[in-house]
Amino acid sequence: MKRRATKMYFGDTVNTSPYFRGEAGAKIDNPRGKAVKFSSGQLVLGTAADAVVGIVPVTNDQALEQGDPVDIVWKDMTLALAGGTIATGDVLACDANGALVKASADGGTIGVAMEAASSGQYFHMIVERGTFAAAG
């Protein structure tokens, strides 16, 4: 009986990190916990109903200038800034200032709230991009 050769692979060819490093496409004041999107290959603050790609970690407490490196959380759990009243389990979208709100209009979504929060508070969420269609 012949034995087959066993292939072995070392290393990881898939990025399993929840972080992505990009470049700021515009100045972003106080980016902590805000949603960002791609614009011309760079990251800019998300606005209402945008298809945002991630959340700036709350550890980033400095304003970003155009061209600055910026890390985002693009999957898994993170802290985010509430732009309105959020209940546990709410599907989340971006408001006009990059903060997170309960999805209520057609557009992109960024995740699910893991705890309740009021406007201006940081809360835990699961980053999970999708789309939302309002009833009607």
Side-chain angles (χ1 to χ4, degrees), residues 49-51 89-94 101-112 128-136:
D50 278 343
D90 279 352
V91 174
L92 303 168
C94 185
V101 294
K102 179 178 179 176
S104 62
D106 291 353
T109 62
I110 187 61
V112 177
E128 185 176 81
R129 291 165 311 285
T131 56
F132 183 84

Side-chain angles (χ1 to χ4, degrees), residues 6-8 10 16-17 30 33 37 39 44 51-52 55 57 63-64 80-81 85 105-107 109 116 120 125 134:
T6 302
K7 293 182 181 179
M8 297 185 72
F10 295 97
T16 59
S17 168
N30 193 19
K37 66 178 181 176
S39 176
V44 297
V52 293
I55 306 294
L64 297 169
L81 179 65
T85 301
D106 291 353
T109 62
M125 65 167 291

Side-chain angles (χ1 to χ4, degrees), residues 6-136:
T6 302
K7 293 182 181 179
M8 297 185 72
Y9 297 94
F10 295 97
D12 192 359
T13 59
V14 177
N15 180 3
T16 59
S17 168
Y19 297 99
F20 173 82
R21 175 164 279 183
E23 185 177 281
K27 182 175 180 160
I28 303 175
D29 289 317
N30 193 19
R32 300 176 69 201
K34 292 183 180 175
V36 293
K37 66 178 181 176
F38 280 114
S39 176
S40 300
Q42 296 178 310
L43 294 166
V44 297
L45 201 61
T47 57
D50 278 343
V52 293
V53 296
I55 306 294
V56 178
V58 296
T59 54
N60 187 347
D61 60 356
Q62 298 177 6
L64 297 169
E65 299 293 333
Q66 184 173 1
D68 283 351
V70 56
D71 292 326
I72 63 168
V73 178
W74 67 274
K75 67 173 191 168
D76 297 337
M77 189 176 294
T78 190
L79 287 169
L81 179 65
T85 301
I86 292 172
T88 303
D90 279 352
V91 174
L92 303 168
C94 185
D95 74 4
N97 302 308
L100 294 238
V101 294
K102 179 178 179 176
S104 62
D106 291 353
T109 62
I110 187 61
V112 177
M114 298 303 290
E115 60 188 351
S118 298
S119 184
Q121 289 183 319
Y122 292 95
F123 66 100
H124 286 96
M125 65 167 291
I126 297 284
V127 178
E128 185 176 81
R129 291 165 311 285
T131 56
F132 183 84

